[in-house]
């Protein structure tokens, strides 16, 4: 499905409980734009395996045209949830503030100081609200345990209206049995990703 919303813990804790709690903040973030508003597009996240000694290259998760490339609202927003404490040692995300309008990395080399730009310490239970255009990447995980950072992704009404083929229409990745139990303030954000009632979902995992 290209999403993790068929997993009960994603739907119940991240989409439902946390999504309802963050709705007022998200409303403010997406209040501007030619078409104010937003919707859920997927659930996912990232991880860094234990004993990983390398950095992930800096990158942006989406590139948009000049008209959509404005400070607010962000075209695509990821809310990452810390299911464990993020420390300097367990592979926290490195992020370069203020790069959301640059359209990606502008050279083959990066400033040395960017290697030490880490989003930590952050306690378990916190949420990281991130414009996915901002340059970011993984860092070494010097601990033996995998570091997980699941997320829910929100798309602006402006980007949705673009109908770009690599994003829309989104996959209906949220089973009806989970969708039907969502509070109204979250349910109205998930109309386009909810599977029809009674339809069995086929979930496959592709090895990269």
């Amino acid at each position: 499905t290209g999403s993790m919303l068929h997993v009960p813990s994603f739907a119940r804790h991240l989409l439902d409980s946390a999504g309802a709690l963050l709705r007022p903040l998200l409303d403010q973030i997406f209040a501007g734009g030619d078409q104010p508003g937003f919707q859920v597009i997927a659930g996912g996240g990232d991880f860094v395996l234990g004993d990983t000694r390398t950095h992930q290259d800096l990158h942006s998760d989406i590139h948009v045209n000049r008209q959509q490339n404005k400070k607010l609202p962000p075209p695509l927003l990821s809310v990452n949830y810390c299911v464990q404490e993020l420390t300097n040692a367990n592979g926290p995300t490195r992020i370069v503030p203020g790069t959301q309008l640059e359209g990606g990395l502008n050279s083959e080399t990066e400033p040395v100081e960017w290697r030490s730009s880490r989003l930590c310490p952050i306690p378990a239970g916190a949420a990281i609200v991130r414009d996915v255009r901002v340059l970011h990447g993984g860092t070494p995980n010097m601990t033996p345990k995998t570091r997980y950072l699941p997320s829910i992704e929100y798309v602006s009404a402006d980007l949705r209206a673009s109908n770009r083929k690599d994003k829309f229409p989104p996959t209906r990745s949220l089973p009806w049995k989970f969708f039907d139990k969502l509070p109204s303030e979250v349910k109205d954000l998930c109309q386009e990703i909810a599977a029809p009632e009674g339809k069995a979902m086929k979930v496959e995992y592709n090895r990269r």
Side-chain angles (χ1 to χ4, degrees):
T1 62
S3 180
M4 295 292 288
L5 293 178
H6 60 277
V7 177
S9 57
F10 270 74
R12 179 182 177 186
H13 300 298
L14 307 187
L15 183 61
D16 185 338
S17 300
L21 184 65
L22 289 175
R23 179 66 195 263
L25 172 63
L26 296 171
D27 283 338
Q28 292 185 48
I29 291 173
F30 288 104
D34 297 328
Q35 301 185 51
F38 62 103
Q39 65 186 64
V40 177
I41 190 171
D46 66 79
F47 62 90
V48 182
L49 295 173
D51 297 316
T52 295
R53 307 291 171 169
T54 57
H55 285 78
Q56 181 188 29
D57 291 339
L58 284 174
H59 61 282
S60 173
D61 287 342
I62 191 172
H63 299 281
V64 296
N65 62 35
R66 184 175 300 178
Q67 181 181 0
Q68 295 164 348
N69 199 33
K70 47 195 172 186
K71 190 172 183 180
L72 288 172
L76 187 62
L77 191 78
S78 176
V79 180
N80 291 100
Y81 293 96
C82 300
V83 294
Q84 61 206 101
E85 180 185 11
L86 296 184
T87 72
N88 188 56
N90 69 348
T93 302
R94 60 184 177 130
I95 193 165
V96 187
T99 55
Q100 66 266 39
L101 302 182
E102 295 184 6
L105 194 59
N106 294 323
S107 65
E108 293 183 3
T109 58
E110 62 181 80
V112 175
E113 59 268 24
W114 287 7
R115 285 269 164 158
S116 59
S117 179
R118 288 169 166 78
L119 202 57
C120 68
I122 302 178
I128 301 170
V129 181
R130 179 175 60 87
D131 183 334
V132 303
R133 294 173 298 175
V134 174
L135 289 175
H136 62 284
T139 64
N141 182 357
M142 310 303 288
T143 74
K145 296 182 178 180
T146 299
R147 187 275 289 156
Y148 296 98
L149 202 58
S151 68
I152 300 295
E153 298 171 1
Y154 301 87
V155 62
S156 71
D158 283 346
L159 184 63
R160 179 62 189 92
S162 72
N163 280 320
R164 53 185 283 177
K165 294 181 179 179
D166 63 328
K167 295 290 184 184
F168 309 111
T171 302
R172 292 192 173 274
S173 58
L174 179 63
W176 177 268
K177 62 182 179 180
F178 298 152
F179 171 76
D180 194 43
K181 295 179 181 179
L182 294 174
S184 59
E185 65 268 29
V186 177
K187 185 178 286 187
D188 68 354
L189 302 176
C190 301
Q191 298 290 334
E192 202 171 11
I193 62 167
E197 185 175 7
K199 182 178 179 180
M201 294 187 61
K202 183 179 181 181
V203 179
E204 296 178 333
Y205 295 91
N206 296 321
R207 192 171 187 175
R208 293 183 178 180

